[in-house]
Amino acid sequence: MAENFLTVGTQVLELFILIAVGYLCGKTKILNDKTAKSITDIVLYIVCPCVIIKNFIRPFDHAMLGKLLITAGAALAIHIVSIVIAMLVFHHKQPERSRVYRFAVIFSNCGYMSLPMQEAILGSDGVFFGAVYIVIFNVVMWTFGVWLSSGNKKDLSVKKIALNPCIIGMLIGLIVFLTSCPVPDIIGQPITFLANLNTPLPMMIVGYYLSQTKILDAFKDGKGFVCVLFRLIVIPLLAFGGMMLCGIRGTVLITCVIAASAPVAAATTMFAAKFDNDAKLSVNLVTLSTLLSVVTMPLIVGFANTVGMN
């Protein structure tokens, strides 16, 4: 338990340092609304697919394929339950705020926060299954998440979904894994370089929007606290309980619990900005949940690791 607490605490501190850099860039006018939106597009359309592909570059294994499918099914179930809860519980008279609350409950920071912890606790297998969770996260985010943020069903066209960069990245990654296709360094290294941007750029964008708002507002929003409570405690405990009832144990269970217990996704801010929702509210939720996760994540993951690995 103490080791898990230290691991998560270190990750949270590192994220806040990156947020601080973005904050300073906003205050000194190095970043503005236009550049922030451009960086957002780079992350969503280029960096995210590279993260997926990078983690699928490994030799094919039948046993791993079976666990991969279980992880995908569990991740999808967790997102569906989260969607139902968010749509039933969170309402606001201002649609642009209601959409942000719901997005924040549904989508966790399963890439930036979870992968480092999955690697520290579970090793390379944790990262592999974590990448599968991220694939499902991106599929749901680029389908339901886009509809939720835009309020426009036209954004859910089959063509747009099929051509989504993260869906394409998933297909490429699966082909590489299933065929054990060797990836030369001249291709693999650039993919790795781009994937490594997956943490600093989104956190800096969060920092930028934080520089445009009042941090104390994050602690004054009662509905925001409830939203964060669901994101950090209710959803991961439901995920843990549901998977235990289904007989899922070991690495797959812990991987999914780590991903489900992560704070509000940094993409909440990027999507809020992209679709003209309440970006300042999204920053408050990301910041507050990330701060509180230094306590909630190690407790929940430590408990799951103690019970679920037996």
Side-chain angles (χ1 to χ4, degrees):
M1 186 79 74
E3 183 180 351
N4 292 341
F5 187 93
L6 179 61
T7 299
V8 179
T10 300
Q11 297 300 327
V12 170
L13 178 59
E14 290 173 354
L15 291 181
F16 268 100
I17 291 174
L18 293 174
I19 289 174
V21 173
Y23 182 91
L24 291 175
C25 288
K27 286 298 186 181
T28 57
K29 308 302 181 182
I30 294 176
L31 284 176
N32 54 43
D33 286 343
K34 183 177 180 180
T35 55
K37 287 188 176 182
S38 296
I39 293 174
T40 295
D41 286 338
I42 291 174
V43 173
L44 295 177
Y45 290 100
I46 298 176
V47 175
C48 286
C50 287
V51 172
I52 296 171
I53 295 172
K54 173 191 172 185
N55 286 287
F56 271 84
I57 301 177
R58 59 187 295 160
F60 175 74
D61 183 295
H62 285 285
M64 294 296 286
L65 178 60
K67 292 181 179 180
L68 180 152
L69 296 175
I70 293 173
T71 303
L76 181 59
I78 291 170
H79 281 92
I80 291 174
V81 171
S82 300
I83 288 172
V84 172
I85 291 174
M87 299 304 287
L88 290 177
V89 176
F90 293 92
H91 305 273
H92 197 280
K93 60 183 180 180
Q94 299 177 6
E96 62 273 15
R97 291 181 68 87
S98 181
R99 292 168 183 162
V100 172
Y101 284 128
R102 290 171 172 174
F103 197 102
V105 170
I106 297 167
F107 299 104
S108 71
N109 205 343
C110 61
Y112 321 131
M113 282 288 291
S114 299
L115 285 178
M117 188 176 186
Q118 287 159 348
E119 183 174 18
I121 296 176
L122 303 169
S124 60
D125 286 352
V127 176
F128 178 69
F129 295 131
V132 175
Y133 195 103
I134 292 174
V135 168
I136 301 301
F137 165 88
N138 278 287
V139 170
V140 178
M141 184 176 70
W142 282 97
T143 52
F144 182 83
V146 169
W147 171 80
L148 175 64
S149 298
S150 67
N152 190 348
K153 292 183 178 180
K154 292 181 179 179
D155 289 320
L156 291 179
S157 69
V158 175
K159 181 179 179 180
K160 288 184 178 181
I161 294 173
L163 296 179
N164 175 272
C166 288
I167 302 300
I168 295 174
M170 177 190 68
L171 294 176
I172 294 173
L174 280 173
I175 292 173
V176 171
F177 171 65
L178 294 175
T179 62
S180 295
C181 177
V183 178
D185 288 343
I186 195 171
I187 295 177
Q189 283 297 339
I191 291 176
T192 299
F193 293 150
L194 289 170
N196 289 341
L197 297 174
N198 193 44
T199 298
L201 290 185
M203 290 299 101
M204 287 181 65
I205 294 303
V206 170
Y208 165 73
Y209 283 108
L210 182 61
S211 72
Q212 308 300 303
T213 189
K214 297 179 180 179
I215 185 61
L216 291 179
D217 291 346
F219 297 89
K220 297 178 181 178
D221 183 2
K223 187 178 288 290
F225 266 103
V226 175
C227 173
V228 169
L229 175 68
F230 271 82
R231 172 68 266 145
L232 295 179
I233 299 177
V234 177
I235 299 299
L237 288 181
L238 286 175
F240 173 75
M243 294 178 71
M244 289 289 288
L245 288 175
C246 293
I248 301 173
R249 301 289 191 277
T251 303
V252 172
L253 170 65
I254 307 306
T255 296
C256 291
V257 171
I258 291 174
S261 65
V264 174
T268 306
T269 295
M270 294 188 288
F271 269 63
K274 185 174 182 64
F275 293 105
D276 298 318
N277 289 314
D278 196 329
K280 293 182 179 180
L281 171 63
S282 71
V283 171
N284 290 342
L285 296 177
V286 171
T287 303
L288 180 61
S289 65
T290 302
L291 179 63
L292 296 180
S293 70
V294 74
V295 176
T296 60
M297 264 189 97
L299 291 176
I300 290 175
V301 174
F303 171 75
N305 197 36
T306 300
V307 176
M309 291 299 284
N310 297 326

